[in-house]
Amino acid sequence: VLRFMRAGPFFKYRIAAGAPVYMAAVMEYLCAEVLELAGNASRDHKKKRIVPRHILLAVGHDEELHKLLKNVTIPSGGVIPNINPVLLQKKANFTKKAIAAANGLGFPKEGE
């Protein structure tokens, strides 16, 4: 880890002897956390192997990991399932006011 720290963005700074040890501990913790959540996701889907889809679902459902990895693309992961609540309503509720209210948009009143 020290070799990578010296080659990376820290090359112009002095690196303490404990810094690579601490960095390795942080990386080990993050790997264990992601693997645990991905294992739970694979068990939920009745699979024995963890595939990239399970990693994506695990990261997407955990608030802190999602915040950490928000700009990361996981190859073969697919997309996180999300259905707009407006689409789940009955057909009679598809008025402009209902759609604007669901999206949090103000609908202008008549005469404005």
Side-chain angles (χ1 to χ4, degrees):
V1 176
L2 179 63
R3 181 169 46 102
F4 290 114
M5 289 178 76
R6 286 194 176 142
F10 306 108
F11 70 93
K12 54 186 164 185
Y13 302 108
R14 294 178 67 191
I15 300 170
V21 176
Y22 191 83
M23 181 78 81
V26 169
M27 290 189 297
E28 181 183 359
Y29 170 74
L30 287 174
C31 288
E33 188 75 21
V34 169
L35 283 175
E36 179 184 356
L37 293 172
N40 294 342
S42 68
R43 193 175 332 113
D44 292 343
H45 290 278
K46 297 179 176 74
K47 305 288 183 187
K48 293 189 177 186
R49 284 191 187 153
I50 296 174
V51 293
R53 175 73 178 162
H54 299 138
I55 296 172
L56 178 84
L57 291 173
V59 169
H61 290 304
D62 188 63
E63 183 180 337
E64 294 171 342
L65 284 175
H66 182 68
K67 187 176 178 182
L68 179 68
L69 302 173
K70 65 183 174 186
N71 295 324
V72 174
T73 302
I74 298 175
S76 302
V79 296
I80 296 176
N82 183 23
I83 299 174
N84 195 330
V86 174
L87 299 175
L88 297 174
Q89 296 175 356
K90 295 182 180 180
K91 298 252 182 198
N93 291 336
F94 280 115
T95 62
K96 288 183 180 178
K97 289 183 181 179
I99 294 171
N103 289 330
L105 304 173
F107 196 77
K109 297 177 184 174
E110 292 182 17
E112 287 186 9

